[in-house]
């Protein structure tokens, strides 16, 4: 049974908010991305508007669309009262454009600007977000979809970007609340009390029976892992984290989308004309309609055949696993387990002392991002990183500038990804070719975790 229920305390009205996010095509006239305050309706109608920090006045921010092989050029204008930066999540980008304060650039001060100008080698579903004080700035709305189109688009009737997110709103004031919360930092992260799609509570779309949709799902939430299921829709996963799968994978059960991950689906509307289909969100045994599809009319008499795989992106092969450079990454900390000791500000401290500085996690015994990289790879070298989650919580590990594949226990390789979800006590190994020179951060995308110990760096020589 699907129920549509608000998680916002006391919410009664369930109507979708009368607000549509901006959608613009990349063009030479649209080269500024201003980070500024705005007000939008996130909570259901009847609740106050919410002040957000946004790119272009909406959350998610202005959708950026470009073509594979093009350059993307955007001047960030910081009209906020705090420094900020732009990170282009999942793009195999020129290091200087990666947007990480203290590593690839200085944060852009209030009133300042920074020109981001880079090539787009890969087609796929990506996103952009602030990389300064991310746990707060992304949660306040500094995030948007970045879609890089294939030279030849797959044969679908529609292409829909669905940005899945949550907000923590004060039910009285409707304002984004609760940042410096010890519990969030030391547990699973900062989860919201209202879930949204494209900034809208209870998003609804009109579709037709047998219509074929490409759904580009992006999880921009700080910490929420979406567990999803299709109802009245049938189809395939065709890409993960932007990168095409060799073969479309039929969706037969529930699937997970961790923070920062993307999934491109090609689905057919199989629900009857006049009926409903859903992207279902599962939560504690309950199913909620996260996106409602109203089936109005019919696109075709029958379903179409299985789609072709998307064209592969260039130079993605992960070879040379036997002679790879090997590295280990051990995650420790968090509530219930903590750590015996770790380095903070150059000395060994216990968990209690670290906690007083809002540091709750350690990677390889360090709570600060180390000056010395986890490893230094030659350009083109294959690297394997064996990761071990010795905490009680899941972590979504994201590597900048590269995509990797998981080395599966049987010896095979998992799909190409830029963010890997690891559950408590898991050990997982990833492998990638260090093709992109520069200093790259490697961190948990549960953003309070990244802010409290789960951030390290790697280096690839030029
Ligand atoms: Cu999407 Cu370092 O982040
Ligand atoms: Cu984490």
């Amino acid at each position: 049974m699907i129920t549509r229920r608000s998680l916002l305390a006391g919410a009664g009205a369930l109507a979708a908010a009368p607000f549509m996010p901006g959608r613009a095509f990349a063009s030479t006239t649209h080269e500024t991305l201003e980070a500024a305050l705005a007000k939008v309706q996130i909570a259901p109608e009847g609740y106050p508007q919410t002040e957000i920090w946004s790119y272009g006045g909406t959350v998610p921010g202005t959708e950026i669309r470009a073509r594979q092989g093009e350059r993307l050029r955007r001047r960030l204008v910081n009209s906020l009262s705090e420094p900020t930066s732009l990170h282009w999540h999942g793009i195999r980008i020129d290091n200087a454009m990666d947007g990480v304060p203290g590593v690839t650039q200085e944060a852009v001060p209030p009133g300042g600007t920074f020109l981001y100008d880079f090539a787009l080698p890969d087609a796929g579903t990506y996103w952009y977000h602030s990389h300064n004080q991310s746990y707060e700035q992304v949660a306040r709305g500094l995030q948007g979809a970045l879609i890089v189109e294939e030279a030849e688009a797959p044969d679908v009737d529609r292409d829909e970007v669905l940005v899945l997110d949550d907000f923590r709103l004060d039910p009285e004031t409707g304002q984004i609340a609760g940042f410096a919360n010890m519990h969030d930092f030391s547990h699973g992260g900062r989860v919201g009390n209202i879930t949204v799609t494209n900034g809208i509570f209870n998003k609804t779309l009109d579709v037709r029976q047998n219509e074929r949709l490409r759904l580009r799902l992006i999880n921009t939430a700080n910490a929420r892992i979406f567990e999803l299921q299709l109802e009245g829709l049938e189809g395939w996963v065709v890409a993960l984290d932007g990168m095409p799968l060799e073969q479309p994978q039929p969706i037969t059960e529930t699937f997970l989308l961790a923070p920062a991950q993307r999934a491109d689906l090609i689905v057919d509307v199989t629900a009857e004309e006049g009926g409903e289909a859903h992207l279902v969100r599962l939560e504690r045994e309950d199913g909620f309609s996260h996106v409602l599809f109203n089936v109005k009319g019919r696109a075709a008499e029958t379903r179409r055949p299985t789609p072709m795989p998307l064209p592969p992106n260039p130079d993605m092969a992960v070879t040379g696993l036997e002679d790879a450079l090997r590295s280990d990454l051990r995650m420790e900390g968090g509530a219930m387990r903590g750590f015996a000791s770790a380095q903070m500000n150059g000395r060994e401290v216990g968990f209690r002392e670290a906690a007083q500085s809002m540091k709750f996690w350690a990677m390889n015994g360090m709570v600060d991002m180390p000056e010395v990289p986890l490893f230094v790879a030659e350009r083109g070298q294959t690297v394997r990183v064996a990761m071990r989650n010795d905490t009680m919580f899941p972590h979504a590990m994201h590597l900048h500038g590269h995509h990797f594949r998981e080395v599966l226990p049987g010896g095979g390789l998992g799909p190409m990804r830029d963010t890997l979800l690891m559950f408590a006590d898991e050990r997982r190994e990833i492998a990638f070719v260090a093709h992109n020179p520069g200093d790259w951060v490697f961190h948990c995308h549960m953003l309070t975790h990244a802010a409290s110990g789960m951030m390290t760096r790697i280096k690839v020589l030029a």
Side-chain angles (χ1 to χ4, degrees):
M1 241 338 248
I2 308 300
T3 53
R4 307 200 102 197
R5 195 167 76 193
S6 167
L7 295 182
L8 194 67
L14 296 187
F19 158 72
M20 296 297 287
R23 182 168 304 196
F25 276 76
S27 80
T28 44
T29 57
H30 223 106
E31 286 189 345
T32 293
L33 210 50
E34 186 188 8
L37 299 186
K39 272 199 169 173
V40 295
Q41 189 72 38
I42 293 171
E45 242 175 276
Y47 283 88
Q49 287 199 319
T50 303
E51 183 175 276
I52 55 165
W53 300 3
S54 112
Y55 305 114
T58 57
V59 64
T62 310
E63 181 180 302
I64 300 177
R65 274 199 184 241
R67 282 270 162 79
Q68 184 173 19
E70 280 179 0
R71 284 190 84 78
L72 186 69
R73 219 167 164 257
R74 284 293 183 283
R75 181 173 290 282
L76 170 67
V77 174
N78 184 4
S79 301
L80 300 167
S81 58
E82 290 188 13
T84 193
S85 74
L86 267 180
H87 171 59
W88 310 88
H89 185 116
I91 302 294
R92 296 193 289 167
I93 202 168
D94 173 0
N95 189 245
M97 297 290 126
D98 199 39
V100 182
V103 177
T104 67
Q105 68 172 98
E106 288 313 313
V108 181
T113 78
F114 189 95
L115 179 64
Y116 292 92
D117 182 358
F118 53 93
L120 295 167
D122 302 314
T125 301
Y126 303 96
W127 62 298
Y128 64 96
H129 61 80
S130 161
H131 217 287
N132 197 43
Q133 289 285 101
S134 312
Y135 77 90
E136 178 175 0
Q137 294 198 356
V138 175
R140 288 196 184 276
L142 293 174
Q143 44 154 294
L146 167 55
I147 306 303
V148 186
E149 294 175 341
E150 296 84 14
E152 219 164 302
D155 182 22
V156 295
D157 298 316
R158 280 160 67 174
D159 182 321
E160 293 284 347
V161 179
L162 300 175
V163 177
L164 277 43
D165 196 1
D166 63 2
F167 285 90
R168 186 183 293 179
L169 301 183
D170 179 318
E172 294 296 313
T173 64
Q175 300 313 302
I176 299 171
F179 281 105
N181 177 322
M182 261 236 220
H183 186 275
D184 295 341
F185 274 73
S186 58
H187 290 71
R190 185 177 183 280
V191 288
N193 54 3
I194 180 169
T195 55
V196 297
T197 305
N198 299 352
I200 294 172
F201 177 66
N202 282 350
K203 167 89 175 160
T204 303
L205 285 169
D206 286 348
V207 293
R208 292 167 298 155
Q209 191 183 14
N210 291 326
E211 192 173 21
R212 176 159 281 186
L213 318 172
R214 177 182 190 164
L215 302 180
R216 299 174 183 264
L217 309 182
I218 308 176
N219 181 352
T220 67
N222 263 39
R224 180 181 294 269
I225 300 165
F226 283 92
E227 184 177 3
L228 302 166
Q229 184 179 298
L230 302 179
E231 195 175 285
L233 302 169
E234 278 180 50
W236 302 262
V237 179
V238 294
L240 291 170
D241 294 352
M243 297 298 171
L245 301 182
E246 279 147 39
Q247 286 305 323
Q249 288 292 314
I251 303 167
T252 53
E253 42 187 36
T254 69
F255 57 99
L256 298 178
L257 201 65
Q261 290 186 329
R262 287 88 65 214
D264 282 49
L265 317 182
I266 290 185
V267 300
D268 298 329
V269 178
T270 52
E272 294 293 319
E273 222 182 311
E276 290 181 347
H278 304 269
L279 177 64
V280 179
R281 185 183 83 248
L282 296 154
E283 220 170 279
R284 291 183 221 95
E285 319 276 295
D286 269 334
F288 299 92
S289 174
H290 196 75
V291 180
L292 166 65
F293 300 85
N294 278 317
V295 189
K296 294 184 177 165
R298 194 183 271 186
E301 282 306 305
T302 54
R303 284 187 65 186
R304 305 199 207 177
T306 304
M308 298 285 289
L310 297 174
N313 284 317
D315 305 323
M316 299 302 298
V318 177
T319 55
L321 288 173
E322 289 316 310
D323 317 308
L325 174 68
R326 285 170 183 263
S327 175
D328 291 291
L329 186 67
R330 178 174 184 221
M331 308 162 200
E332 285 179 287
M336 289 174 285
R337 287 196 187 159
F339 45 70
S341 89
Q343 261 198 48
M344 185 176 82
N345 302 326
R347 54 189 199 91
E348 287 295 316
V349 297
F351 187 67
R352 284 214 178 157
E353 188 178 344
Q356 281 161 10
S357 305
M358 290 295 272
K359 301 283 186 179
F360 298 95
W361 310 90
M363 296 211 293
N364 287 359
M366 307 273 297
V367 300
D368 304 313
M369 182 164 64
E371 284 303 319
V372 180
L374 183 61
F375 56 81
V376 179
E378 301 283 340
R379 186 175 189 172
Q381 193 171 17
T382 302
V383 183
R384 294 170 72 150
V385 186
M387 299 190 286
R388 204 168 130 180
N389 179 1
D390 287 338
T391 79
M392 291 285 281
F393 298 91
H395 303 291
M397 291 301 297
H398 170 49
L399 176 63
H400 282 215
H402 299 78
H403 275 66
F404 52 76
R405 298 181 73 168
E406 184 176 357
V407 183
L408 300 171
L413 292 174
M416 198 49 85
R417 303 212 73 131
D418 62 38
T419 306
L420 182 73
L421 178 62
M422 285 186 71
F423 287 101
D425 291 319
E426 274 188 343
R427 284 164 163 61
R428 314 268 293 265
E429 188 179 24
I430 58 168
F432 65 100
V433 177
H435 64 82
N436 199 356
D439 293 295
W440 304 103
V441 288
F442 182 28
H443 63 88
C444 177
H445 222 287
M446 274 71 172
L447 296 173
T448 52
H449 295 174
S452 59
M454 300 198 76
M455 168 104 71
T456 187
R457 70 205 292 169
I458 70 158
K459 189 180 187 70
V460 180
L461 298 173

